[in-house]
């Protein structure tokens, strides 16, 4: 069991991403699971997963998500499936924070192969936190 407060935030792609269940934390072998918090104006920059599909559930908030070039609105208590190889980006264009739970699987052969960035990420530019 892992509590969110016990995990370190990752801000590299934007927002506050916390991986809770993973090979490193619990020995998971099929997928990993975590949370995402996006403050107003924050973005998770566009990327795609060459080995994993992603399930993203919006617990609270209301954001613009761009999937394969098409913008959609993801609102509280709704979910979206992002297939393997599909580009996606999340932008909180509202005045309140948004909170999500996500899972990605199957796992990439190595963690560094799990994401392909298609635009500069805030963390790589020394921007967001």
């Amino acid at each position: 069991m892992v509590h969110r407060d016990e995990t370190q935030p990752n801000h590299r792609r934007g927002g506050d991403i916390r991986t809770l269940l993973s090979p490193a934390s619990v020995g998971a072998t099929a997928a990993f699971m975590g949370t995402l918090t996006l403050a107003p104006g924050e973005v998770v920059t566009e990327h795609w997963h060459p080995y994993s599909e992603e399930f993203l559930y919006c617990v609270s908030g209301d954001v613009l998500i761009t999937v394969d070039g098409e913008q959609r609105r993801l609102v509280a208590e709704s979910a979206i499936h992002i297939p393997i190889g599909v580009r996606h980006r999340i932008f909180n264009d509202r005045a309140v924070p948004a909170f999500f739970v996500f899972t990605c699987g199957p796992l990439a052969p190595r963690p560094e192969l799990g994401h392909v960035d298609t635009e500069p990420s805030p963390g790589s530019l020394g921007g967001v936190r």
Side-chain angles (χ1 to χ4, degrees), residues 36 38 55-65 73-80 90 92 96-102:
L36 163 65
L38 278 180
F55 298 95
L56 182 65
Y57 176 71
C58 183
V59 176
S60 62
D62 179 344
V63 298
L64 279 178
I65 183 165
R73 183 139 309 268
L74 186 61
V75 299
E77 299 186 13
S78 62
I80 190 166
I90 308 164
N92 185 356
V96 297
F99 183 73
F100 305 86
V101 174
F102 67 86

Side-chain angles (χ1 to χ4, degrees), residues 11-96:
H11 302 288
R12 193 167 84 78
R13 283 185 183 82
D16 179 325
I17 299 171
R18 296 180 189 232
T19 302
L20 283 83
L21 305 176
S22 70
S25 66
V26 297
T29 60
F32 67 93
M33 181 257 179
T35 64
L36 163 65
T37 305
L38 278 180
E42 282 190 315
V43 63
V44 172
T45 52
E46 187 183 79
H47 64 282
W48 58 280
H49 310 278
Y51 298 93
S52 307
E53 60 187 340
E54 183 170 354
F55 298 95
L56 182 65
Y57 176 71
C58 183
V59 176
S60 62
D62 179 344
V63 298
L64 279 178
I65 183 165
T66 305
V67 179
D68 209 16
E70 181 182 329
Q71 273 195 347
R72 303 172 186 178
R73 183 139 309 268
L74 186 61
V75 299
E77 299 186 13
S78 62
I80 190 166
H81 168 246
I82 303 163
I84 293 171
V86 173
R87 293 175 181 222
H88 52 287
R89 179 182 204 270
I90 308 164
F91 174 55
N92 185 356
D93 62 339
R94 301 297 196 202
V96 297

